[in-house]
Each structure stands twice: as structure tokens, then as C-alpha cells.
Amino acid sequence: METIVGIDLGTTNSEIAFIIDDSAEIIKDGDTGIMPSCVGLNGDGKVIVGHEALNQAIVAPEKTVLSVKRRMGSDEKIQLGDKAYFPQEISAFILKALKTRAERQLGKPVEKAVITVPAYFTDAQRQATREAGFIAGLDVVRIINEPTAASLAYESIHAEDRTILVYDLGGGTFDVSIVKIENGIIEVLASTGDNRLGGDDFDAKIVRRLADHIQNELKLPIQDNPLVMARLKQAAEKAKIALSSSPFVTIEEDHIGKRFFKDIHLSYELSRRDFESMIDEELSRTMDAVSKALKDAGLMPSQIDKVILVGGSTRIPTIATMLEEKIGQTPHDEIDPDLCVALGAAIQAGREMGIDHTSILLDITPYTFGTSALDVVDGIPFGEVYVPLIRRNTKLPASRSEVFYTLYDKQEAVEIKVFQGESSVVSENVLIGNYMFKLSKLPEHSEIIMKMDLDLNGILKMRAVEKKTGKNIDVIIENAMRQFSEKELDESKKRLERLWDTQAIQFDETVEDEAEISEASQKPGISGEYAWLIKQAEEKLDLAAKEDKDEIINLMEDLKDALDKNDHEKAGQISEELEDILFYIG
Ligand code: AMP
């Protein structure tokens, strides 16, 4: 059978994929498979492509070409060293590098390809792409639209007719397309966007913030120093990427300059919230484009069957939230947004080769994992809400953190509950862990960062950290992805029904698992917090050393006595001692 590969020839990055054992796979060469669409000349005048070229872009801009895709279809020549090239020729270097890596990995010649282009590409731009393939030694058997490829990646195994919205935000371009799949035929109904908007603009915003800080706070003029600006650009992108999974990031760049012969170092904290407000105007524009695409296709949001996220920048969490608000459904990103188009191109290539039943192997979580928090309105707590951290269908391994705030001054502890489930009503989800995190008596509204890491084996690691002190608690839940039995689900439902009546008035009580509270702790007069503490103490008795065990039993008895006597002051003191011991036992 002849070999046909699928290629995503992107503005910022390019990938090549192939069908292996009926499954579309990205061809990697000891790397992630993502190759920067960058062409350069090295010191010996030899052509270099990908990371090697990108690494020298800052120091040798005259010997490097970036974003050639923007110039495809034009006759304008591009200077590279002492020669000028047509855009097709520069693109051909990228295609040749992809072809070579595929031949190396597959161990056979690769002479045919399906290549993707944006839906808005004109005939001239498509023709230039074909020519680039030809120059690179590739027969371009099909040119397909990028949103079509993304839809193929998601829908290759579905037979039904579907209408899909593809939101594609990469490094330098943005498109939104509405794609219709009918009787197996894929058609782009509408496509709009801005081919000068993307992650690079977001990096530039962070760079501007850092440059202002360095000039105004550190009193160091740097604007005309290209090397410092290049370092800031790299640091900004790294920070932006980190903010997709963490609520805060500290940007550290040592030796950023000298003032009065003294080295100046940069250390700047940026929060996700702050970053999101910096790019709010750009993201709102992309949402306007979504409205326009729907209007052009003559569709209402409710007529969309699926929303797909494509392009690295769609990992910014607020994008999924904005789309969910607009379209009324959770967008899909389970196929890596960087690789989705290339995988779809490979599926089309497979079809050209006569392989119809291709799939994409996915390691995703079938459940959402999250925690609960008290929601506060006008300073008054009014209910416990479910806060999902790792959402269903997220690719594994996954890592995500979120920030929470203490409710009041010198708050002593926070109860961390870990849930598995999809309901926005916290008690309808399954409680898989419940931990007490003793705090350092921080001021009101101090940040507690909670991080969840879920791996392929279903091991969920949870860490809560007091941002101010670094004090933390680590917990591991070994089989978080275990499916709950009918019986457990039934019990969970019953528990919910029992709690339902009282939930409205008991929202701030720490009792969650009424059914599990022991008889002793359910004595009349023992309220939720004390009952919970006694339950914890009973559970941890087995873990305690002999002397701790005696101490715990005595404290439990004293606590019950104090409560019998309605002596709440004493009960409070004893609880503190008991909590301390339990905390040290872990
Ligand atoms: P693409 O053109 O699809 O390869 O996307 C590249 C862009 O995605 C670059 O601007 C990257 O900085 C950006 N990007 C990649 N990963 C992330 C992430 N986790 N969060 C935010 N932006 C990202």
C-alpha cells in the first residue's frame, strides 16, 4: 500500500501524522512532534528548519524566516542570507524537513501527502501550497481545510450528521468555522477570524507589563536592548503557559541589567486573573467572531452539536468558559489542540489509502474531579458550590490548580473535600476524599492554592498550599478513576436526599457524610463540627502511636463531657488540642 501522510503546515508550528495500526499518530523524532515553522541559515550557510532555526531567530533575524504562511500566494520574495526566495520555496523547506522525519521514523519513502490550509485561503494560496509540496518532493493528493481536518479528528468514528463549531486560536492566527457533516460529506458553512491575532499578542502584553515594571520600579531602561527584550519574550510565553494550569506565576530573570554597578534581577508575580484581564479585549473580539460565524451560517447556538478547541492558545482556561457561556455546552479539547489538525489530515490520508475505520487513541479522564467551596456574596457565605478542577475528557496526565480564599481572620483550618462527578450541585457528586488542612492563622482572604494532578493510572495527587507561608498538605488518592458501584451511587443518592431538607440551613457545617458519623458522635447536642472532629479522631486512632492513642481517647471523652455540660469554651479548647494531634498524625 502506498504511503500517504497528513500534514498541518501551520503559521507557527507544523506537524506530520500517519495511520499506524488503524490509528492516526503524530510522527515524533525524539520530541513532541511539534516543529516550529521556522527556516534559517546556520553559520556555514546551510538551511536549518524547526527548533534549531527558531533558537537563532533572535540573534540572527536576517538569517531566519518566521510565519511564511502569511505570505503564501503572493509574489513577494523573502530574503534569507544573500538569496531571495518565493514563499513556496521557504514552505518547501518546512515540508522537506517533515518528510525527512517521517521517512526516518517510518523507514520507507514518503512521496504523497494531504496538506491542510485555513478555510479562508484563496485559490492562489492553495495553489502555492501545492507548489510547495511539489518542490519538497511531495505529491499533494488533497488540500483540505483545517476546520474540516479538526472535525474529522473528532468525528471519524461517528456516523450521524453533525454541526460543529471549530474555534482555532494559535500563535498568530484566529479562525472560527462552522462545519457540517452530512452523509459523510464535510462542508464548511462559514468561517471568519483574524489572521493577525494569537498567542504572540498575549506574550507581547506580558512583555509590555514586565518592561514597564523594569523601567518604572527597577529604574532600568531596557526598551532598546534587543537581548533583554528577547529574554522577556521567552519568559512571558513560559509564564502564559504556566498560568493555564496555575493561578499565579512568578517570573524570574536574573541579571537583567546593571544599575550603579549593581546587578538587577527581575522577580514579578502575575496572576491568572490579571493576565485574563490583560487579554480580555482580544478574547471578546474572538467571541464576536463566533457570533458572526453563527449568523453567516444561519444557525442558533442551540443548533451546534459540538464545540472543538484547536490551537495551543485555547488552553487558556477562560476561553472554554467564555465559549460555554455563549454556546451552552462544554467545548472539547480531549484531542491535543496542537495536534488535532494534523491527526485529521492523517485520517483523510488514510481514506485516500483506502483505510476508513481510523481512530485516535486517547487517554482521557471519563470523570470530572473537583472540590467544594463556600460561595460568598456581599461578605456573607451563602452556600457550598462545586469547583471542578480537572474536567471530564481532559487529556491525561492532567494538572490544574485553583486559588481559594480564607473566609475570616485567623481561620484555623480548612476542610478540603475531593469529589468525582459532573453535577453542579456538590452533594450530587461522589465524595472520594475529605481532609482537614490546619492553617497558620492567616488574615482574612488569604490565598490557599489547591492543585490536582491526575495520571494515566488514575492516581490523583492533591496538594493545598498556603501561598503566604508555603505550608502545605499532600494527599494521594490511589484509584480516583474507579467506577462507583450501583450500590455506592444509590447510597450517595440517598445521602443527598437525607441532606436535602437541611442543606439550606446547614451549608456552613462541616458534616458532609451523615451516614458515616458514628453513633457516639451523633449524640444530641454534638453539632456538626464537633461530630466531624470526633469521627476523624476515631478514624485516625489506628494510625496513632500508643501514647497518642491514649491522649486522643482522653480528649474525645473530655470533649463529649464538655459538650454534655454545654461548656462550649472548654469544648473549643479541647477541639484545638485534638485537631493538633490529628494534624501531626497526618
Ligand atoms: P499553535 O499555533 O496552535 O501551535 O499554537 C501556538 C501558541 O499556543 C503559542 O502562542 C503558544 O504560546 C500557545 N500555547 C501553547 N500552550 C499553551 C498553554 N498551555 N496556554 C496558553 N497558550 C499556550
Side-chain angles (χ1 to χ4, degrees), residues 529-549:
E529 238 167 276
Y530 295 126
W532 188 89
L533 189 60
I534 291 172
K535 178 180 160 254
Q536 292 289 301
E538 286 171 346
E539 281 177 6
K540 287 192 177 162
L541 266 182
D542 284 346
L543 296 175
K546 168 88 179 73
E547 56 278 17
D548 289 336
K549 205 179 234 173

Side-chain angles (χ1 to χ4, degrees), residues 12-13 170-171 199-200 237 240-241 244 311-313 315-316 338:
T12 319
N13 294 309
D200 295 346
E237 183 177 15
K240 173 190 74 176
I241 291 173
S244 289
S313 298
R315 295 204 183 88
I316 296 171
D338 287 311

Side-chain angles (χ1 to χ4, degrees), residues 90 102 111 159 166 176 185 197 212 218 247 265 270 389-390 393 407 422 446 475 478 483 485 499 513 531 535 537:
I90 300 287
E111 276 149 11
V166 183
V176 53
I185 311 257
L197 174 65
D212 285 351
L218 305 180
H265 310 295
L270 184 64
L389 266 92
I390 295 179
N393 287 340
L407 257 187
E422 314 308 317
S446 294
V475 169
E478 290 289 345
Q483 204 146 15
S485 66
L499 285 170
D513 199 340
K535 178 180 160 254

Side-chain angles (χ1 to χ4, degrees), residues 27-52:
I27 300 176
K28 299 177 181 172
D29 197 5
D31 56 12
T32 57
I34 299 176
M35 191 187 83
S37 305
C38 184
V39 178
L41 290 180
N42 68 9
D44 304 332
K46 282 219 170 96
V47 173
I48 46 173
V49 181
H51 287 285
E52 203 185 342

